[in-house]
């Protein structure tokens, strides 16, 4: 690593996937969604992230396929640029600089050269729809100057703007107004709804969608009504039908490709399909989790997808069956549990969906699974008091998980439940072992496990506001029916009836520190005897932790009155203290470092120190503007070796923290490009091959290769590039489409490379290169000459080098087989 | 039920008898039929009553045929211009004489009960659908209808029927199927079976309650499964289905232009369907359900579609005229929703001196004596009763016909009522607390029926408006009658008289025809005096003021005229009102004025009321213009003397009593107000279809 590496705070995955509508590629194989400053490309079948398109320097606010070339994608961002991507290869093709913040982007299919953007001019909260022509210039970065306004005073959200059938009109809704602009007539019609016509009516528009085949506009409203507007090219004769099922705001609407059905969703988390626009003809897909925020339909018509408030995209089959779920880090709820690391999977664990713990893989930026703790149906309705998951803790080996849930409707009615979960090796999951009702009389403030590697009986300590701390141990709970182990209370401790606020075991688990408001008590974990007390008045203890490894003789605590104190356990004296408003105190389990995050009105600062040394190892000023809620050290799989003293603390573990706006952040020294996982340029190239006869040829070839493992070992080396080794093919497959020469030029070269042929017919120009190939291949197979059948393996096909490419015998054979294949279906095309 | 209270200052203080024991329940509506030519609406009720509303004249109920026990109308239609026919379960087809206000004739259909009837587009044929499954064609000749042909008999009763606009085919709806018949040959050309698979219930029969045949060959059906279905009658295929409710869809009506249709459901909702081009440039159109309207609580038995409005009526007896905003040219008062619940006639007469009220029900008369109080109180106080109101008498009608009109003499000793074919007169005797009644049996022959009955102020004379427009003057003697004179209508007209008014001194009699003007007769000399200049809108109320003998006329367009009988011309005040114009809020009132009376001590006051307000017009006060608030009584009461004087105007309006069916002045300081709260009516209706409401 170089010395001048720079430590930066970077957002670590888990940015919002549900910010804008996700869109499908034309073949429904990929799903694109905006994610912070990036655009993510997911596979709809494997749910995996195939590409991350990076390049914008601010939030991406809109994406749309290029209507002229469906292998390209437009994206617009608050940084004032529109970028055109080749998503098959993940390459940025062009950047159009507009210069003002762009809030939405539309590229209607039928308005060929114009694109539309939502911008904000002068007055805040007043947004305009502007059209512009993207200049056709070869340079990489083009400035766009000419904007012409189409509609004024529209909604910021692109959900409230839609383009009608064949791009004939554009609809925008805001508040109680619906404006329709007809491009041909250059005329705007405005319709308004009464503000509160009847009781329980709230007619504010929330989203619009246009019927793809008919002149019909669907609008969603705040009170759950959907209106289907027709005859809107007439100020008087316009009419609407209302569909009412949602009881709360309609979040988004989408028509199916043919317009035969309309999909709507809202806070009920039910996807409603209205068939034929008839109120009684509807189908439901219920229990989808969080609020449905966006709905989109694939151009092929076979898939829908819904984006949910719990940072999830669901891909739903046409027959309303969920086919895939792309789940990001759930950020919907308040993180009561804080950040934890599952010792087994090294996954980040925190509150997820309501009542669930989510296990989130930081390496893959993917949710691993959800553990349903509360095991109750969640009803998404305001005014309901739900059971909340308050605390969770893992034992050090990860075989026990303790969770605390509570529900408090009124001051006096507290419902508490503690659950202990055991990891089951066979089922590879946590199984409920013990459920304890009302473990304490009052709120549980902290809990921690102690299980030393070799100890047979793990124990758990819980502290509560009722003034007690309880020690729970695993005991034999067998009866005549079964052998079982269960958790029971072993010891109850208190100190002058003060509220117990924190607890913490020393590294060797011999000591337990429990803080009672202003006082820290130290207990012997073997006998549960009070050893000594520490106090640093005034101010209650907020955080508490023991030093690790070489510093295990120190105990650290922070108080509400902005002090960070360090006590020496051997001398029972205060070693040092500093005035610092610490919000988070987190020890690194792999080293003796401790991280403290302080907060002042200006921002949060990070201090990393060793308890034994008063001088901090590293000070990182203003790591973020907001208050840091919680933080965790994540052990690295492969230790880094930072030479710089400032970053040595990051060698063994990585530091993650969560701020109040629920952004998960970490420190990185790498540039973003380096972080790219070495995925799948190859993968994409393979996947993008359609199942054409040519594909069968290649595929079969490979299979044959695979079925001959007994051949020369160097065969393995050439196996993979066998197809791509032929320069023409590799050129075809690996060069981005936009830099390829014309297909007719390539064609002859390509065919020549395959066969010793007399020449080819000139191919028609087909926009899709792959299609062209397949046609060409079949043409060839038709006019192919007789090739004598000789032993297949006689000629080694490795000698295809820079010389004239030659065809292998196996290939010849497959080509001849191809002749016999029925290609009558080609005529139908 | 009765309270006595004081009313406000500006109008003078009154003791008010608040009567709520008039137990009137309007009868449910069975059919509505709209006539394009005359812009009139015919409404038939479950008891056989047929009413004609003039939509051009502020939806005033112009004419009314009293019901008949044996004549349950199931279908109502206009044919040959403005001839009105009805058919019912007694198997008869009836034509009504709209001039003479009588049944012209009735013809047996010979197919059992008739469930449906429709006139062909030219109006020269009537098709009826009968219980036995036959569809019969009747030719409409100028004074008769004649059976022309019976079309191919179907299985099951024919519940609905519709002509193709070209008049060649008829679509009929029965149970579980729709058939298309050729009107010429009488053969069945197409049969379309309904889907019997009901969602939710086991095989129930699907009743086709309504069909409509459109000119492109589409048949629209409404059925008991809650569906509106569009069929192609050429191929017999189902084109489009709109499931609307889980209950029945009972009725359908199509606009003349065939671009919109309306259906009514058993849940009280009406749904509007519109033919909307699916693309603005293309020719393809589709029927789209646009807006639902919920103005009824019970079944909507019948709907009609006028060019500018959707009209519906049902079991809850409301007639609702819902204008289509996009079809209304100017957003004036015609663009407002109209709900007609109470008849535009007076059902109550009052014997002022005896404090008696006579209530007219379709089947009976009730005589009540008002309560009394000794207490005195402040403004708006409710006074305790020293004597409760007393139900003195109930007179049940005789025969199958319903009561058409009734009257009690001002002294309370005579009661007269009439059905469509008989006239009854009773002599009352009050002795202490008992009432005895004696029918006057020897009635002259010409007194067979009456449209209006009126007693003179001293109860010595009886005026009877009879059919053919004749007006009889009869002197009442103890126990016998003396026929004095019969005024025959002006030559040529034989139109029935709808309203009568006599001057308190008994010298003048004013009679208003159904649509022609008001004629005034001199009773002293028993000869016609003059005619009030003709006015376009029908008269809703008439009264002659004491002393001045000024005739006050209220019309359905809410205009009020004052006509001086001795001078044979409009009074100066009336001219002033016409010149100045009435307040726009006054003109936008919903219901017509049904009663006018005068204060004996204050000659400048005219007291009048409609269903929702009671008004005293003070002729000495300045008229309000459009800028001043019309209903300023409540605000003026709090205001200072100065402000009050400045803002006071001629119209003193009280909306305290609603819905007000009758209000009269008993003496100088006492009013009687008869209210009929809507909740009391709803309580007497059968329970509506229960619908789940979200959140309950």
């Amino acid at each position: 690593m170089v010395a001048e590496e720079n430590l930066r705070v970077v957002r670590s995955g888990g940015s919002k996937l549900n910010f804008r509508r996700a869109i499908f590629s034309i073949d429904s194989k990929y799903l694109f969604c905006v994610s912070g400053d990036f655009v993510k490309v997911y596979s709809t079948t494997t749910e995996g992230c195939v590409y991350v398109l990076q390049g914008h320097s601010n939030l991406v606010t809109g994406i749309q396929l290029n209507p002229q070339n469906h292998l390209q994608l437009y994206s617009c961002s608050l940084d004032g640029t529109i970028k055109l991507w080749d998503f098959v290869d993940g390459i940025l093709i062009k950047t159009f600089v507009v210069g003002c913040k762009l809030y939405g982007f539309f590229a209607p299919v039928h308005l060929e050269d114009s694109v539309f953007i939502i911008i904000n001019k002068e007055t805040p909260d007043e947004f305009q729809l502007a059209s512009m022509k993207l200049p056709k210039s070869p340079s990489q970065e083009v400035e766009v100057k000419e904007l012409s306004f189409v509609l004024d005073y529209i909604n910021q959200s692109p959900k409230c703007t839609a383009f009608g059938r064949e791009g004939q009109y554009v609809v925008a809704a805001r508040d109680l107004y619906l404006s329709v602009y007809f491009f041909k007539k250059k005329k705007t019609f405005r319709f308004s709804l009464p503000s509160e016509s009847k009781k329980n009516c709230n007619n504010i528009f929330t989203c619009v969608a246009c019927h793809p085949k008919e002149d019909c506009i669907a609008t969603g409203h705040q009170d759950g009504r959907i209106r289907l507007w027709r005859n809107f090219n007439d100020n008087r004769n316009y009419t609407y039908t209302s569909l009412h099922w949602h009881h709360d705001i309609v979040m988004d609407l989408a028509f199916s490709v043919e317009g035969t059905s309309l999909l709507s969703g809202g806070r009920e988390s039910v996807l409603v399909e209205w068939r034929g626009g008839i109120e009684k003809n509807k189908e439901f897909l219920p229990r989808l989790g969080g609020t449905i925020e966006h709905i989109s339909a694939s151009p092929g018509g076979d898939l829908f997808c819904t984006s949910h408030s719990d940072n999830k995209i669901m891909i739903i089959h046409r027959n309303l069956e969920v086919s895939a779920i792309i789940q990001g880090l759930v950020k919907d709820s308040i993180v009561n549990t804080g950040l934890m690391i599952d010792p087994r999977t090294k996954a980040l664990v925190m509150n997820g969906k309501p009542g669930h713990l989510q296990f989130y893989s930081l390496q893959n930026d993917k949710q691993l699974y959800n553990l349903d703790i509360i095991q109750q149906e969640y009803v998404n309705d305001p005014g309901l008091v739900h059971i909340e998951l308050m605390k969770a803790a893992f034992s050090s080996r990860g075989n026990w998980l303790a969770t605390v849930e509570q529900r408090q409707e009124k001051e006096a009615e507290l419902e508490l439940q503690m659950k202990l979960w055991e990891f089951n090796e066979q089922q590879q999951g946590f199984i409920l072992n013990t459920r304890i009702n009302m473990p304490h009389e009052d709120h549980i403030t902290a809990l921690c496990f102690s299980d030393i590697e070799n100890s047979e009986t793990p124990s758990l300590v819980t502290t509560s506001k009722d003034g007690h701390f309880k020690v729970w141990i695993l005991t034999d709970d067998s009866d005549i029916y079964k052998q079982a182990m269960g958790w029971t209370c072993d010891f109850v401790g208190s100190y002058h009836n003060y509220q117990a606020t924190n607890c913490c075991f020393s590294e060797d688990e011999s000591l337990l520190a429990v803080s009672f408001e202003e006082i820290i008590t130290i207990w012997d974990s073997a006998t549960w005897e009070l050893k000594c007390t520490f106090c640093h008045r005034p101010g209650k203890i907020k955080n508490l932790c023991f030093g690790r490894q070489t510093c295990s003789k120190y105990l650290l605590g922070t108080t509400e009155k902005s002090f960070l104190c360090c006590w020496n356990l051997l001398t029972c004296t205060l070693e040092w203290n500093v005035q610092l408003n610490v919000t988070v105190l987190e020890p690194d389990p792999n080293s003796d470092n401790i991280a403290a995050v302080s907060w002042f009105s200006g921002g949060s600062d990070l201090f990393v120190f060793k308890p034994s040394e008063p001088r901090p190892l590293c000070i990182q000023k203003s790591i973020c503007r907001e208050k840091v809620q919680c933080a965790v050290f994540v052990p690295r799989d492969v230790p880094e070796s930072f030479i710089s003293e400032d970053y040595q603390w990051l060698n063994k573990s990585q530091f993650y923290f969560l701020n109040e706006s629920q952004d998960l952040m970490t420190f990185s020294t790498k540039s973003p490009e380096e972080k790219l996982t070495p995925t799948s340029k190859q993968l994409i190239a393979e996947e993008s091959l359609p199942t054409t006869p040519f594909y069968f040829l290649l595929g079969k070839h490979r299979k044959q290769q695979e079925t001959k493992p007994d051949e020369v070992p160097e065969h393995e080396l050439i196996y993979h590039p066998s197809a791509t080794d032929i320069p023409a093919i590799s050129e075809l497959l690996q060069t981005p489409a936009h830099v390829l020469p014309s297909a007719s030029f390539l064609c002859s070269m390509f065919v020549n490379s395959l066969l010793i042929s007399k020449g080819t017919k000139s191919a028609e120009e087909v926009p899709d290169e792959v299609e062209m190939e397949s046609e060409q291949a079949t043409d060839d197979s038709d006019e192919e000459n007789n090739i004598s059948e000789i032993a297949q393996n006689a000629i080694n096909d490795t000698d295809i080098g820079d010389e004239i490419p030659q065809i292998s015998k196996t290939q010849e054979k497959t080509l001849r087989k191809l002749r016999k294949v029925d290609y009558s279906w080609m005529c139908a095309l | 039920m009765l309270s006595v209270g004081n009313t406000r200052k500006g109008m003078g203080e009154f003791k008010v008898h608040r009567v709520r024991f008039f137990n009137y329940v309007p009868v449910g509506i069975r059919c509505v039929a709209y006539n394009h030519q005359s812009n009139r609406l015919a409404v038939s009720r479950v008891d056989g009553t047929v009413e004609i509303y003039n939509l051009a004249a502020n939806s005033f109920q112009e004419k009314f045929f009293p019901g008949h026990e044996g004549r349950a109308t199931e279908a109502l239609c206009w044919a040959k211009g403005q001839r009105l026919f009805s058919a019912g379960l007694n198997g008869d087809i009836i034509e009504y004489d709209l001039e003479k206000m009588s049944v012209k004739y009735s013809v047996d259909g010979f197919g059992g009960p008739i469930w449906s009837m429709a006139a062909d587009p030219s109006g020269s044929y009537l098709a009826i659908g009968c219980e036995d499954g036959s569809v019969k064609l009747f030719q409409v000749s100028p004074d008769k209808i004649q059976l022309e042909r019976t079309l191919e008999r179907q299985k099951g009763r024919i519940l609905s029927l519709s002509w193709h606009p070209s008049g060649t085919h008829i679509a009929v709806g029965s149970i579980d199927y729709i058939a298309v018949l050729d009107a010429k040959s009488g053969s069945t050309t197409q049969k379309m079976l309904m889907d019997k698979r009901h969602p939710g219930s086991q095989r129930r029969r699907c009743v086709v309650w309504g069909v409509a045949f459109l000119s492109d060959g589409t048949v629209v059906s409404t059925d008991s499964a809650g569906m509106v279905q569009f069929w192609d009658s050429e191929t017999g295929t189902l084109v489009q289905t709109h499931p609307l409710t889980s209950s029945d869809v009972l009725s359908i009506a199509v606009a003349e232009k065939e671009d919109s249709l309306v259906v009514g459901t058993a849940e009280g909702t009406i749904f509007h369907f519109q033919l909307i081009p699916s693309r603005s440039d293309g020719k393809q159109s589709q029927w789209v359900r646009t807006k639902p309207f919920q103005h009824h609580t019970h079944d909507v038995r019948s709907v009609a579609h006028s060019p500018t409005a959707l009209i519906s009526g049902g079991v809850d007896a409301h007639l609702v005229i819902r204008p289509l905003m996009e079809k209304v040219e100017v957003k004036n008062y015609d663009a407002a929703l109209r709900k007609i619940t109470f008849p535009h006639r007076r059902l109550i007469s009052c014997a002022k001196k005896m404090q008696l009220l006579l209530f007219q029900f379709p089947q009976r008369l009730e005589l009540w004596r008002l309560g009394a109080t000794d207490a005195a109180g402040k403004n708006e106080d409710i006074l305790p009763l020293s004597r409760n109101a007393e139900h003195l008498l109930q007179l049940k009608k005789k025969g199958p016909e319903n009561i058409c009109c009734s009257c009690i003499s001002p002294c309370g000793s005579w009661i007269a009522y009439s059905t469509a074919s008989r006239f009854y007169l009773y002599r009352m005797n009050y002795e202490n607390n008992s009432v005895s009644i004696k029918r006057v049996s020897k009635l002259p022959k010409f007194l067979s029926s009456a449209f209006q009955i009126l007693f003179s102020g001293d109860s010595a004379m009886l005026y009877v408006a009879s059919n053919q427009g004749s007006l009889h003057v009869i002197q009442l003697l103890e126990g016998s009658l003396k026929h004095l004179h019969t005024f025959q209508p002006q030559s040529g007209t034989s139109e029935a008289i709808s309203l009568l008014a006599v001057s308190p001194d008994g010298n003048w009699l004013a009679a208003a025809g159904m649509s022609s003007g008001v004629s005034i007769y001199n009773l002293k000399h028993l000869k016609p005096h003059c005619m009030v200049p003709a006015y376009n809108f029908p008269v809703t109320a008439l009264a002659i003021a004491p002393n001045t003998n000024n005739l006050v006329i209220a019309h359905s367009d809410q205009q009020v005229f004052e006509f001086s009988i001795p001078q044979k011309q409009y009074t100066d005040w009336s001219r002033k009102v016409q010149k100045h114009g009435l307040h726009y809020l006054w003109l936008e009132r919903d219901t017509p004025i049904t009663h006018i009376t005068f204060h004996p001590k204050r000659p400048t006051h005219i007291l009048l009321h409609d269903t929702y307000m009671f008004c005293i017009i003070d002729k000495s006060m300045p008229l309000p213009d459009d800028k001043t608030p019309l209903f300023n009584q409540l605000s003026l009461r709090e205001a200072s003397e100065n402000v009050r004087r400045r803002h006071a105007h001629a119209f003193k309006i009280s909306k305290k009593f609603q819905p007000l069916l009758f209000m009269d002045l008993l003496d100088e300081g006492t009013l009687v107000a008869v209210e009929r709260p809507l909740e009391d009516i709803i309580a007497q209706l059968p329970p509506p279809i229960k619908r789940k409401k979200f959140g309950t």
Side-chain angles (χ1 to χ4, degrees), chain B residues 267-419:
Chain B
E267 286 171 346
T269 319
I270 63 172
F271 289 96
H272 189 202
F273 282 76
Q274 280 176 283
L275 187 67
I276 288 172
S278 27
R279 291 155 168 249
S280 55
D281 47 353
K283 290 196 177 70
Q284 249 194 349
S285 303
Q286 57 174 344
W287 284 97
V288 176
R289 177 185 79 69
T290 51
K291 283 173 196 161
F293 301 108
Q294 177 90 47
H295 298 299
H296 296 274
T297 52
H298 290 69
D299 303 31
V300 178
R301 295 298 297 272
S302 186
V303 287
H305 198 310
S306 85
T308 57
L310 308 179
I311 301 155
S312 58
V315 173
D316 58 0
H318 297 299
L319 177 68
V320 176
I321 302 171
R322 159 91 211 183
L324 295 169
M325 287 308 172
E326 66 268 19
K327 296 278 162 51
V328 179
E329 293 293 330
V330 206
K331 284 211 170 163
N332 62 359
Y333 183 54
D334 284 337
L337 169 82
R338 204 143 295 200
K339 205 169 190 176
I340 301 168
T341 311
F342 296 104
H344 294 160
R345 292 171 283 130
R346 207 148 46 96
L347 298 175
I348 295 151
S349 50
C350 165
K352 294 185 181 181
K353 283 179 196 127
M354 296 286 287
Q355 303 219 326
L356 296 175
L357 287 179
L358 182 71
F359 298 140
Q360 176 193 327
F361 296 88
Q363 319 274 350
R364 65 181 194 277
L365 297 175
E366 277 182 15
L367 186 67
W368 288 73
R369 179 184 283 138
L370 291 173
T373 181
D374 308 324
K378 290 197 299 291
N379 214 356
E380 302 279 318
D381 278 356
I382 293 173
L383 305 178
L385 288 180
S386 61
R387 190 189 73 211
N388 277 329
E390 203 179 341
H391 186 188
L392 296 178
L393 187 72
Q394 175 164 320
L395 265 177
K396 280 209 178 120
K397 60 147 191 176
K398 295 172 180 67
E401 291 166 322
N402 286 355
I403 295 168
C404 160
C405 60
S406 65
C407 193
I408 186 167
S409 70
C411 66
S413 50
W414 299 90
I415 288 177
Y417 79 91
S418 172
T419 66

